[in-house]
Amino acid sequence: MIKTVPTKPFEGQKPGTSGLRKKVSVFQQAYYAENFIQSIFDGLEGFKGKTLVIGGDGRYFNREVIQTTIRMAAANGFGRVLTAKGGLLSTPAASHLIRKSKAFGGIILSASHNPGGPDGDFGIKYNAGNGGPAPEKMTEQFFANTKKISSYKISDGADCNLDKLGTSKIEGMTIEVVDPVSDYQKLMETLFDFDAIKTLFKSGFRVRFDAMHAITGPYGHAILEGALGAPKGSVVNGTPLPDFGGHHPDPNLVHAKELYDLMMSASGPDFGAASDGDGDRNLIIGKNQFVTPSDSLALLAANAHLAPGYAKGLAGVARSMPTSCAVDRVAAKLGIKCFETPTGWKFFGNLLDAGMITLCGEESAGTGSNHVREKDGLWAVLLWLNILAKRQQSVVEIVREHWASYGRNYYSRHDYEEVDAEAANKMMVFLRDKLPNLKGEKAGALAVSAADDFAYHDIVDGSNTANQGIRIVFEDGSRVIYRLSGTGTAGATLRVYVEKYESKNLGLETQAALSDLIGFARGIAGIAERTGRMEPTVIT
Ligand code: G1P
Ligand code: ZN
């Protein structure tokens, strides 16, 4: 039976960069998830009888909200729900399933790389029919709906058996539980030279893929160890756990330190990689060579033609504004366009849909292509393996050759997490006011040549997005950028991005190469005085 349940709005159900993200305890309040899901459905038009994809990264509370979403989809008139065994779908696999099944859209339950478990985070995100995150216009509508919601619709039917593949019905709506991996694997087989990678593994090349007890475990086991024949044990932490084993499923040098240390040791494998909670991020480390996400994007752009899916070349590339300009140099050499977008994957969607770009990426360990409308962790790993198999060189050789021909963009991000939100906002206002007076200011010998608050004009849909980060550019192209995170769940997170280009000094230590700019960034913003923090909490 379909029930209409009266409810009242909650404060602050505002979707950020990647959906609504809050502590699990917030989502556990009665009607909290229901309100947001109904506000999404109320913001959509024309979905009656159509398909909705539902999946999540397996974090704590995943199953409960999947059942609720299925019941609400049935009550609101969807014709079919597609979900995967255990309700598990990586974000890129969900994006693919939406596209492949020509679904109306999808609901993805994840808080990405944020910790899980009862004390961790949870999240709900809507993806549109192109498989990508809802554009801003839509998320604003959802938010507006959360403020005036008075009831939601739900079926009181029985729970769906998520552990069995097959089809069932609720209120006349069909529910199909599919295998989470198989469609995604087929897509990867069309893009990459699986035979070449198999031969690479047969030759003794060793890989370690750390799934961080998150969603990519089953994908890694099936594709790397199964289809590609990497030795069993190449995939570690491969069983998804509701609390990610108590770890922070963020594939960076802090949270994947064990992998990093192994890769820097004599006994390490040839190639190390990791992915995050929902499988859209990637960490790439060669033997004795960490590859920054910004460099990885540039390297993948320069070598993508070695994979069958990109053999015809790239239409164009894009990077988020704070991502280093390394890929710009590759684009210039290839004679293709490089677009600069605000932070967040949704801005790439229009460019991908319009066929203007093929590859895109962010400094925050996200890389992807036109195969889906999300960033894709395992895809990046496979593209790297395809390139390594074809070039028959090590990661370090490939990286060094790249720097030798393009120069090196030294790059680092300094995060100040959980700072006082008011102080952080005040600092951004202060910096904004200071913009007109920054020209000529010096960081060491370098002078500021331009400063602005990044605004983006989307040439595909004509929309404008303002206030996307304070950007200070120096005469040699070096940059200092300040942004407040849109994905944190406690206080504010200040991100400071620092970049310096060197054409000749290719072997410096990164923080040392950036030290003048780092000092400048801290000084002019008064970070210590304003936030009480002498040092960032995380440096990547
Ligand atoms: C962060 C990253 C951004 C990424 C987003 C979702 O957002 O910086 O590049 O798209 O997570 O994975 P932020 O917290 O900076 O708003
Ligand atoms: Zn993620």
Side-chain angles (χ1 to χ4, degrees):
M1 204 173 75
I2 294 172
K3 294 195 297 187
T4 300
V5 183
T7 187
K8 277 197 205 122
F10 286 92
E11 281 285 308
Q13 288 194 314
K14 185 172 171 56
T17 322
S18 334
L20 179 68
R21 230 176 251 186
K22 301 277 176 195
K23 290 272 169 223
V24 165
S25 56
V26 174
F27 272 101
Q28 280 171 326
Q29 299 172 82
Y31 314 141
Y32 191 88
E34 287 85 343
N35 271 22
F36 190 64
I37 293 163
Q38 187 65 50
S39 298
I40 293 175
F41 292 161
D42 289 345
L44 305 174
E45 254 170 54
F47 59 77
K48 292 269 147 51
K50 303 255 168 77
T51 299
L52 181 72
V53 169
I54 305 177
D57 63 8
R59 65 178 59 230
Y60 187 83
F61 211 43
N62 202 55
R63 282 184 172 250
E64 289 84 343
V65 181
I66 288 200
Q67 298 289 2
T68 303
T69 313
I70 293 174
R71 285 201 190 89
M72 291 184 65
N76 279 273
F78 277 95
R80 178 169 76 137
V81 155
L82 260 182
T83 185
K85 202 168 172 201
L88 297 176
L89 274 177
S90 77
T91 292
S95 178
H96 177 52
L97 204 54
I98 293 170
R99 294 164 65 77
K100 191 184 159 253
S101 65
K102 303 206 161 43
F104 186 84
I107 298 240
I108 301 177
L109 307 175
S110 167
S112 189
H113 50 289
N114 293 14
D119 302 323
D121 292 341
F122 193 79
I124 301 183
K125 160 169 129 161
Y126 179 75
N127 278 32
N130 72 345
E136 211 133 70
K137 234 172 73 193
M138 259 189 193
T139 54
E140 270 162 25
Q141 184 60 56
F142 302 158
F143 181 45
N145 292 345
T146 66
K147 292 192 248 183
K148 55 173 198 223
I149 189 165
S150 59
S151 67
Y152 65 88
K153 286 200 203 113
I154 191 160
S155 157
D156 62 2
D159 271 0
C160 159
N161 184 353
L162 291 172
D163 297 313
K164 203 168 142 247
L165 299 182
T167 305
S168 58
K169 284 222 172 227
I170 175 172
E171 311 291 354
M173 182 187 83
T174 306
I175 309 170
E176 266 177 69
V177 181
V178 302
D179 179 79
V181 180
S182 66
D183 285 316
Y184 178 82
Q185 180 172 333
K186 280 186 205 128
L187 176 65
M188 294 301 117
E189 284 166 6
T190 67
L191 299 174
F192 302 119
D193 189 337
F194 270 42
D195 286 334
I197 305 174
K198 265 192 233 171
T199 308
L200 181 71
F201 287 143
K202 272 212 192 93
S203 74
F205 183 94
R206 289 295 165 259
V207 60
R208 185 180 180 99
F209 177 72
D210 190 340
M212 305 189 94
H213 286 305
I215 192 69
T216 49
Y219 297 83
H221 283 307
I223 298 173
L224 295 171
E225 295 175 348
L228 293 169
K232 293 260 173 297
S234 298
V235 175
V236 298
N237 301 323
T239 305
L241 298 174
D243 67 347
F244 307 119
H247 299 294
H248 199 133
D250 191 352
N252 62 26
L253 299 185
V254 175
H255 299 295
K257 184 159 187 314
E258 207 182 308
L259 176 69
Y260 177 80
D261 290 344
L262 179 71
M263 296 309 298
M264 296 303 130
S265 74
S267 60
D270 302 290
F271 184 75
S275 190
D276 72 328
D278 63 331
D280 57 0
R281 293 188 176 200
N282 69 86
L283 170 71
I284 303 291
I285 316 178
K287 204 178 180 66
N288 295 316
Q289 182 67 58
F290 163 62
V291 187
T292 70
S294 294
D295 273 353
S296 182
L297 175 63
L299 278 149
L300 293 181
N303 292 284
H305 61 277
L306 298 173
Y310 309 95
K312 293 200 184 100
L314 309 176
V317 291
R319 61 165 172 83
S320 66
M321 184 274 282
T323 303
S324 98
C325 302
V327 72
D328 301 39
R329 294 174 186 275
V330 176
K333 182 149 176 205
L334 293 173
I336 57 175
K337 272 206 156 160
C338 178
F339 296 87
E340 186 174 40
T341 59
T343 297
W345 207 259
K346 57 189 169 193
F347 294 97
F348 295 134
N350 281 345
L351 297 168
L352 289 165
D353 284 347
M356 300 173 97
I357 59 169
T358 310
L359 288 198
C360 45
E362 298 190 276
E363 52 67 40
S364 53
T367 332
S369 88
N370 58 354
H371 70 291
V372 289
R373 292 296 179 271
E374 290 279 1
K375 54 195 173 227
D376 189 343
L378 197 52
W379 166 90
V381 172
L382 293 171
L383 180 49
W384 260 102
L385 289 171
N386 191 138
I387 292 165
L388 290 163
K390 288 287 183 189
R391 284 188 55 166
Q392 296 282 314
Q393 285 173 295
S394 66
V395 173
V396 68
E397 284 164 349
I398 292 176
V399 169
R400 298 279 154 94
E401 269 184 29
H402 187 92
W403 289 340
S405 54
Y406 293 94
R408 179 171 179 189
N409 291 70
Y410 287 94
Y411 185 84
S412 183
R413 185 177 97 185
H414 291 198
D415 291 335
Y416 298 79
E417 295 171 316
E418 296 190 27
V419 298
D420 179 65
E422 202 189 320
N425 283 314
K426 274 198 181 146
M427 195 192 94
M428 294 304 280
V429 173
F430 167 79
L431 281 167
R432 230 164 254 142
D433 289 345
K434 212 168 165 167
L435 284 172
N437 309 320
L438 284 174
K439 210 169 160 180
E441 290 272 337
K442 289 219 159 158
L446 288 177
V448 174
S449 60
D452 68 351
D453 188 351
F454 182 61
Y456 179 64
H457 174 71
D458 186 320
I459 56 169
V460 181
D461 68 11
S463 64
N464 292 305
T465 311
N467 298 126
Q468 292 303 304
I470 303 289
R471 175 170 64 167
I472 303 175
V473 185
F474 293 81
E475 52 202 357
D476 69 339
S478 293
R479 303 190 303 164
V480 167
I481 292 150
Y482 306 82
R483 275 186 68 242
L484 296 185
S485 157
T487 59
T489 52
T493 294
L494 165 68
R495 304 202 196 282
V496 183
Y497 312 78
V498 189
E499 170 179 7
K500 183 165 199 315
Y501 176 72
E502 290 274 356
S503 60
K504 294 210 172 57
N505 294 319
L506 305 177
L508 305 176
E509 193 277 317
T510 299
Q511 300 303 318
L514 298 172
S515 64
D516 282 348
L517 291 162
I518 291 168
F520 171 89
R522 293 183 184 179
I524 60 147
I527 296 179
E529 301 86 303
R530 288 168 187 280
T531 66
R533 303 284 178 84
M534 296 309 291
E535 291 294 327
T537 31
V538 181
I539 296 183
T540 46

